[in-house]
Amino acid sequence: ICSEQILLYKTIKVMRKLASVVGDDVSFIPDEEALRDKIYKFFYKKELGGFIDGYVSGKNALHRQQNIFAILYDFATKDEQKTILNKILLNERITPIKTPYFKFYELLAVCKAGRVDIAQKMLNSYWGGMLQEGATTFWEEYDENIKGIEKYAMYGYPFDKSLCHAWGSGPIRILGEYIAGV
């Protein structure tokens, strides 16, 4: 799974830095560059514009999550980040993220890629969409295409969706850091 490999890569880099800061021997830490090379070998598809989620199935499926991590953790080069933004994150044919938890990371990646204007529109559409639906707190999941009482269903059960989910608070950071410049 590409997302997990990119997270492992970032973890190894942080481990190496922390060990170095405290004067610890870093020889026990795996080689992050060897892992990086393997991630590119197995998961990066230049012709598709980003990283596929897994290679075992042979489907070469593009999803947003692993590409968001590639931007947020500076795994992808600046040129690759621009391509990921345009071919994946701004591509409506790529399955959208429906949870505010990961939508927050998508907004961060879009902001980091220099498109705060697009992030603002996404914020207004997604979180604003919940408010237009009558939300007074943010939901566990939101899909603007689901209407009526079905919008409260989740996990195959009617009314199983949390309508007060702490992970929906992501816009606070986006508004402070990227919109207000704090």
Side-chain angles (χ1 to χ4, degrees), residues 78-96:
K78 292 294 180 194
D79 286 339
E80 290 166 349
Q81 289 180 23
K82 288 177 188 173
T83 301
I84 288 168
L85 176 69
N86 292 315
K87 287 193 171 186
I88 298 168
L89 301 186
L90 301 180
N91 184 345
E92 292 181 9
R93 293 175 298 189
I94 303 292
T95 304

Side-chain angles (χ1 to χ4, degrees), residues 113-142:
R115 295 306 307 267
V116 176
D117 59 320
I118 293 172
Q120 179 70 53
K121 289 177 186 172
M122 291 168 66
L123 199 153
N124 292 344
S125 170
Y126 186 82
W127 278 269
M130 281 186 255
L131 294 175
Q132 288 176 1
E133 292 280 343
T136 55
T137 57
F138 294 118
W139 302 345
E140 183 176 7
E141 177 186 67
Y142 176 66

Side-chain angles (χ1 to χ4, degrees), residues 1-3 5-6 33-48 50-62 66 75:
I1 306 290
C2 185
S3 296
Q5 297 303 312
I6 292 174
E33 293 310 313
L35 176 59
R36 180 186 184 86
D37 292 344
K38 287 180 182 177
I39 293 169
Y40 268 94
K41 177 182 177 183
F42 292 107
F43 298 104
Y44 186 69
K45 302 295 180 195
K46 186 174 185 171
E47 66 278 8
L48 297 176
F51 295 87
I52 58 171
D53 60 349
Y55 62 88
V56 175
S57 71
K59 293 180 182 177
N60 290 339
L62 283 173
Q66 66 271 15
F75 186 83

